[in-house]
Amino acid sequence: MKFKVSHFSSFLIFFYTSMRGYSMELKNISAILLIIFIINCASATTITVDVNNGSNSNFSSIQEAINFAQENDSILISKGNYSETLTIDKQLKISSISRNPEDVIINPKISSQPIVHVTSDNVEITDLTILGSNNENQTSGVFLDHVSNSLIQNNIISSVQDGLVLGASSENSIKNNTIISNNFHGVYLINSMNNDLRNNLVIGNKRGLYLDQSNRNTLADNNASSNEKYGIALLDSNTNNLKNNQFYTNKYGLCLTDSHENVIIDNVASDNKESGFLLFLESSYNNVEGNLLIENENSGMYLASCSNNTLSRNSLSNNTNGISIDVANDNLIINNNFSSNKKYGLFYPHPGSNNTIKDNIFLNNKKGNDNLSSTPIYIILILLTGTGLACYLKRKSLMKKALIGLSVLTAIFLIAIIAWYFPFEANIPANNVEITNFSWHNSSVINETYTQVTLSMDINYKYKEAYCHTFDENSEIDIIPIKVRLSLNSYGTDTSLTLLSEENINLTFQKSLKYETTLDLKNNVDYNLVAIPMFKEEFDYPFPYGESRWDDLGGNSTDINLRG
């Protein structure tokens, strides 16, 4: 490491050494000034890194430079590919020398650690490319771990599970980054508050930008587009401000689940495969104002089981439906413009109650302003009028017939409603997967304590639709990845059913798979072993229990007797 002493510090040294004969107090003051200046200079030292060991560099490894550096130092990195993971545990500024993120690529070998793990406040990471290998073990590109006041700016983050993660972190600034092609999320905030995420490009990820239990964050001028599931989603996240964001060609643009008092203003959602905005499951008191929602394949906005939201001054055009209201109550829909939607301006799959809809403009919606109709009431009135007329004409027999006919029609109507809400599934099988020929054999004693047994079974993926799970009706899922979960119960003990092992396999539709595994079990114990095939169902938007769940597709059990 080479340090250069400034002209001013040289002057101080000369001044101090030339003060012979002066008072001790004055010499002490000058010494203190010199020490303070040197400390300040050391705190702002610039360290250089070059993987090719350039002549003007101090280190060839970024992590070695971090380890050497002091608080407030800057680390400048020369062009190259750096195969390492970084832990930043002190206040530093780290950047490429060229300020071009494509020049410096941090691309480690397969690792279960985040590529860049930040555990200190006041860290700046700018102008770098952070690149994974699409391996499931690479958890994140950049992980801000309980930190604050850090800056992540002008980076490219790609090909990891979660591009950028903020865990219990606050007051950080995330700006001008390109976060692309990550396997889980582009950006993931968990229990993080008061962060500013601005002008980021979050595209081509499985899910875009996800806030989980994260409040009072600002998301502005971001482009969250072409993500497989959604652009931005909030779960149990409140009082966030979303402004001037763009959502194009996701499945859903913006999703709110059990989230409250968020301000959603002046955003654009277009060409999403389902809905531009989804307000879902207890989301309430959100203000959705001045947004442009156009050409979304289902609805511009979809309100499902939510309440007390205000939707105002939004423009909804060329969607299938402008706004769909599905068991949503007490919402205010005011001063919106519904135009040229392919079906209805307002569509009610299952109408809620006490929604206030006023002062809206409806123009050229193909099937009308809404799908509610009073025709059934008129039919009932006609029937009642006919019945009254028959009574007036003293045709009592006709009156009885009319009453019977009206009763029959009412019963048929009620049955139709019940069938609509609760479809009959008498012919649906119980399980998607059947496990047969479940047995154990080839036991061999290992020692006085353990015996090794071989467990075998036939696993058959027989049904795509069952009570356990129904795969997407439009999908062609002939091969499914499952997890075979083996659990056991020791008879005669207080031990409940416990997990023994899990293994990932693939099943092909209507083809039996012979599965075998070996287990080391204690002697002199009777076991009941349970095998369950588990399928991970991933949702298009967050539910209260998360974005995925494991479904039990069937199962079987066998007894193992190791006594005697």
Side-chain angles (χ1 to χ4, degrees):
M1 179 66 195
K2 304 172 185 178
F3 295 100
K4 294 183 179 180
V5 182
S6 70
H7 295 297
F8 183 66
S9 63
S10 298
F11 169 76
L12 283 176
I13 294 171
F14 170 76
F15 177 73
Y16 177 74
T17 57
S18 64
M19 292 183 68
R20 295 185 179 91
Y22 288 87
S23 67
M24 183 59 67
E25 290 81 2
L26 186 58
K27 291 176 69 175
N28 289 338
I29 291 172
S30 64
I32 292 171
L33 290 173
L34 178 60
I35 292 170
I36 292 173
F37 180 80
I38 292 173
I39 291 173
N40 287 335
C41 287
S43 67
T45 298
T46 297
I47 302 170
T48 58
V49 181
D50 188 346
V51 71
N52 298 312
N53 291 303
S55 59
N56 294 322
S57 67
N58 305 123
F59 294 95
S60 61
S61 163
I62 304 171
Q63 186 61 56
E64 288 179 3
I66 293 170
N67 295 341
F68 181 86
Q70 303 299 312
E71 297 283 342
N72 299 313
D73 282 352
S74 295
I75 297 175
L76 295 179
I77 309 171
S78 296
K79 184 175 182 179
N81 194 321
Y82 295 80
S83 182
E84 54 183 313
T85 57
L86 308 180
T87 298
I88 305 172
D89 56 0
K90 62 192 73 169
Q91 179 177 330
L92 297 173
K93 297 179 180 180
I94 302 176
S95 177
S96 63
I97 290 177
S98 67
R99 302 296 180 183
N100 180 357
E102 295 182 359
D103 284 348
V104 175
I105 300 173
I106 304 174
N107 181 18
K109 296 178 181 178
I110 295 174
S111 172
S112 60
Q113 303 298 320
I115 295 178
V116 180
H117 188 186
V118 181
T119 60
S120 172
D121 298 338
N122 301 296
V123 169
E124 294 185 13
I125 300 172
T126 59
D127 310 309
L128 305 175
T129 291
I130 298 160
L131 180 64
S133 58
N134 282 316
N135 185 278
E136 64 181 10
N137 293 323
Q138 287 182 321
T139 56
S140 57
V142 177
F143 179 25
L144 301 187
D145 188 359
H146 292 77
V147 303
S148 62
N149 298 305
S150 291
L151 172 66
I152 310 297
Q153 180 172 287
N154 197 35
N155 302 285
I156 300 171
I157 307 174
S158 181
S159 301
V160 291
Q161 297 300 318
D162 296 308
L164 172 63
V165 178
L166 279 70
S169 296
S170 61
E171 306 289 347
N172 299 288
S173 182
I174 314 298
K175 296 182 179 179
N176 302 314
N177 299 284
T178 298
I179 303 172
I180 182 172
S181 300
N182 296 288
N183 297 328
F184 285 177
H185 304 93
V187 182
Y188 180 20
L189 277 67
I190 174 70
N191 194 27
S192 293
M193 319 295 174
N194 298 309
N195 298 285
D196 185 15
L197 288 80
R198 195 176 297 269
N199 200 34
N200 298 287
L201 184 62
V202 186
I203 60 172
N205 307 282
K206 189 164 194 176
R207 301 173 180 87
L209 200 159
Y210 181 37
L211 275 64
D212 185 0
Q213 302 176 68
S214 296
N215 304 328
R216 300 188 300 278
N217 299 284
T218 297
L219 282 65
D221 304 307
N222 301 288
N223 186 338
S225 298
S226 300
N227 299 288
E228 181 182 332
K229 301 293 187 182
Y230 55 72
I232 296 178
L234 280 64
L235 171 62
D236 192 17
S237 296
N238 309 318
T239 61
N240 296 285
N241 188 354
L242 285 74
K243 185 175 182 180
N244 288 328
N245 300 287
Q246 297 178 345
F247 310 92
Y248 295 100
T249 62
N250 308 282
K251 194 162 190 179
Y252 291 88
L254 170 66
C255 307
L256 273 65
T257 301
D258 194 17
S259 296
H260 315 282
E261 299 181 359
N262 298 284
V263 176
I264 302 164
I265 186 169
D266 295 338
N267 303 280
V268 178
S270 177
D271 292 296
N272 296 286
K273 296 174 185 176
E274 288 291 338
S275 297
F277 293 174
L278 170 66
L279 276 65
F280 177 57
L281 204 62
E282 306 301 329
S283 291
S284 63
Y285 298 101
N286 298 288
N287 182 23
V288 184
E289 180 180 352
N291 301 282
L292 178 63
L293 301 108
I294 57 175
E295 297 183 351
N296 297 286
E297 291 187 18
N298 185 313
S299 302
M301 287 191 230
Y302 201 108
L303 278 60
S305 303
C306 63
S307 64
N308 294 292
N309 300 286
T310 298
L311 283 59
S312 64
R313 297 196 309 104
N314 300 287
S315 179
L316 305 107
S317 64
N318 296 103
N319 308 283
T320 298
N321 297 297
I323 296 178
S324 294
I325 301 175
D326 193 353
V327 197
N329 307 315
D330 300 300
N331 298 285
L332 173 61
I333 301 174
I334 184 172
N335 292 327
N336 300 283
N337 190 321
F338 300 83
S339 64
S340 303
N341 292 290
K342 299 170 187 176
K343 290 186 178 179
Y344 298 99
L346 288 168
F347 179 67
Y348 298 86
H350 307 99
S353 61
N354 300 321
N355 294 296
T356 300
I357 300 170
K358 65 179 184 180
D359 300 332
N360 299 286
I361 297 173
F362 295 88
L363 293 172
N364 301 321
N365 298 291
K366 188 170 183 179
K367 290 191 175 183
N369 296 348
D370 60 59
N371 66 321
L372 295 180
S373 173
S374 56
T375 303
I377 296 176
Y378 289 128
I379 292 175
I380 292 172
L381 288 175
I382 291 172
L383 289 172
L384 292 175
T385 301
T387 302
L389 180 62
C391 182
Y392 177 77
L393 296 173
K394 296 181 180 180
R395 298 285 302 275
K396 293 183 180 180
S397 59
L398 183 60
M399 176 180 175
K400 290 181 180 180
K401 291 179 181 178
L403 289 173
I404 292 172
L406 183 60
S407 299
V408 170
L409 288 174
T410 302
I412 293 173
F413 180 68
L414 291 174
I415 292 171
I417 290 177
I418 293 171
W420 183 26
Y421 276 91
F422 307 103
F424 295 101
E425 300 177 332
N427 295 321
I428 295 179
N431 300 320
N432 304 85
V433 175
E434 289 186 356
I435 294 179
T436 58
N437 301 320
F438 191 18
S439 61
W440 63 281
H441 55 91
N442 295 339
S443 62
S444 59
V445 176
I446 299 174
N447 52 40
E448 294 182 355
T449 306
Y450 287 96
T451 294
Q452 186 177 83
V453 300
T454 300
L455 187 74
S456 67
M457 66 191 82
D458 295 327
I459 306 177
N460 191 355
Y461 171 28
K462 295 188 68 174
Y463 305 106
K464 294 184 179 181
E465 184 177 359
Y467 282 112
C468 288
H469 181 85
T470 298
F471 295 102
D472 293 341
E473 58 185 38
N474 296 324
S475 68
E476 298 282 339
I477 300 180
D478 288 331
I479 299 177
I480 58 171
I482 70 162
K483 183 178 292 185
V484 178
R485 179 173 295 173
L486 298 176
S487 302
L488 59 81
N489 181 41
S490 299
Y491 287 124
T493 71
D494 293 331
T495 305
S496 61
L497 195 69
T498 56
L499 179 65
L500 184 64
S501 68
E502 290 182 334
E503 183 176 353
N504 295 319
I505 63 172
N506 290 326
L507 294 180
T508 301
F509 184 54
Q510 293 187 341
K511 287 187 178 181
S512 181
L513 174 70
K514 188 73 173 181
Y515 177 80
E516 287 191 349
T517 187
T518 58
L519 306 172
D520 295 339
L521 302 176
K522 282 187 176 182
N523 298 325
N524 300 314
V525 178
D526 291 338
Y527 296 96
N528 177 250
L529 196 142
V530 180
I532 301 175
M534 306 292 294
F535 175 77
K536 188 177 183 180
E537 180 182 13
E538 297 191 0
F539 304 119
D540 294 331
Y541 47 84
F543 279 69
Y545 40 82
E547 296 181 298
S548 64
R549 70 179 178 189
W550 286 96
D551 282 347
D552 174 350
L553 300 184
N556 205 340
S557 64
T558 189
D559 292 329
I560 299 177
N561 182 358
L562 296 181
R563 294 188 182 275

